[in-house]
Amino acid sequence: MGGPRGAGWVAAGLLLGAGACYCIYRLTRGRRRGDRELGIRSSKSAEDLTDGSYDDVLNAEQLQKLLYLLESAEDPVIIERALITLGNNAAFSVNQAIIRELGGIPIVANKINHSNQSIKEKALNALNNLSVNVENQIKIKVDSSFLSLYDSHVAKEILLRVLTLFQNIKNCLKIEGHLAAQPTFTEGSLFFLLHGEECAQKIRALVDHHDAEVKEKVVTVIPKI
């Protein structure tokens, strides 16, 4: 077919094609937007999960990715970001149990020995949140060198966090002022270490610390020794 009539058919075909493409575009766009509204996201990589803009509570699969990243990473920035994310998620009781079951407690505890002070601080933050769960306390092992952190020469940020850790562990074993039924703590557990006289002496010595915030924290902890 030729002439004006043929041209008309071609134009109509182009219009129909464009219309179909537009409909497909709208459907695809609507589906993607709907997915976002329903909270459906593509699978996140471990490093994506440490992005400060990703503030959702992580599930078991995501926590496992995060723990693997924390264990294998060498970049201090990545390690610190992973610890922050893990510490935030460890504030939820369900995740305290999941992290324990995934073997994450020793991975976090090992970072306390890191030479980077900021990493050490973030590791203690995460451990503090994990330690409010009594079953987790049984799994926390760090060794006698951990007591060296209870010293006036240690940075204030670190000292405040190790005092909080001591407080959490002691508080967890009390219900309305009475001692709760205690699980069996092995000799290598952190509870066993912090329950000893050496630790008590170190904490008492911090009463004369030059920083007011540290002194205030020590005063709240001493009655629990």
Side-chain angles (χ1 to χ4, degrees):
M1 58 192 110
R5 187 176 180 184
W9 282 108
V10 171
L14 290 173
L15 285 171
L16 287 170
C21 289
Y22 179 70
C23 287
I24 293 171
Y25 164 76
R26 287 297 301 272
L27 285 170
T28 304
R29 185 183 181 194
R31 186 180 298 116
R32 288 175 180 168
R33 184 170 61 186
D35 286 350
R36 287 197 297 272
E37 289 171 355
L38 290 170
I40 300 172
R41 295 179 175 85
S42 59
S43 179
K44 293 277 186 180
S45 71
E47 289 194 32
D48 287 338
L49 298 174
T50 67
D51 186 351
S53 63
Y54 190 85
D55 56 1
D56 289 356
V57 179
L58 304 187
N59 58 35
E61 181 183 356
Q62 292 169 325
L63 286 169
Q64 190 168 39
K65 286 182 180 180
L66 191 62
L67 287 169
Y68 176 77
L69 177 66
L70 182 59
E71 190 172 31
S72 60
E74 296 183 0
D75 186 341
V77 174
I78 293 176
I79 294 172
E80 187 172 353
R81 283 170 53 186
L83 284 168
I84 291 171
T85 305
L86 197 66
N88 290 340
N89 276 268
F92 298 92
S93 57
V94 63
N95 279 348
Q96 292 163 5
I98 291 173
I99 291 169
R100 178 184 70 245
E101 290 163 3
L102 290 173
I105 292 177
I107 295 175
V108 174
N110 284 339
K111 298 304 176 185
I112 294 175
N113 298 320
H114 202 283
S115 58
N116 185 301
Q117 290 295 301
S118 186
I119 288 176
K120 192 188 294 284
E121 178 187 339
K122 301 304 185 300
L124 284 165
N125 278 341
L127 207 60
N128 277 335
N129 285 341
L130 288 167
S131 69
V132 298
N133 181 302
V134 176
E135 289 185 57
N136 284 355
Q137 293 178 16
I138 301 171
K139 298 290 184 181
I140 301 174
K141 307 293 181 182
V142 187
D143 52 33
S144 57
S145 64
F146 181 79
L147 293 182
S148 65
L149 296 178
Y150 291 92
D151 189 274
S152 59
H153 299 296
V154 171
K156 170 186 172 180
E157 291 76 15
I158 303 294
L159 196 49
L160 285 172
R161 282 157 181 79
V162 293
L163 286 168
T164 299
L165 181 59
F166 178 92
Q167 188 175 27
N168 285 346
I169 288 178
K170 292 290 187 178
N171 284 347
C172 241
L173 298 176
K174 290 189 176 181
I175 299 176
E176 298 180 354
H178 301 287
L179 284 177
Q182 296 187 20
T184 302
F185 290 96
T186 61
E187 190 168 342
S189 69
L190 185 60
F191 175 87
F192 193 92
L193 183 67
L194 297 184
H195 196 66
E197 182 57 29
E198 183 182 356
C199 180
Q201 289 176 359
K202 283 181 168 291
I203 292 177
R204 291 190 190 101
L206 292 173
V207 171
D208 298 321
H209 196 276
H210 60 85
D211 184 89
E213 194 173 356
V214 172
K215 288 175 72 172
E216 182 181 350
K217 191 70 171 178
V218 172
V219 169
T220 63
V221 167
I222 278 183
K224 299 177 179 63
I225 296 178

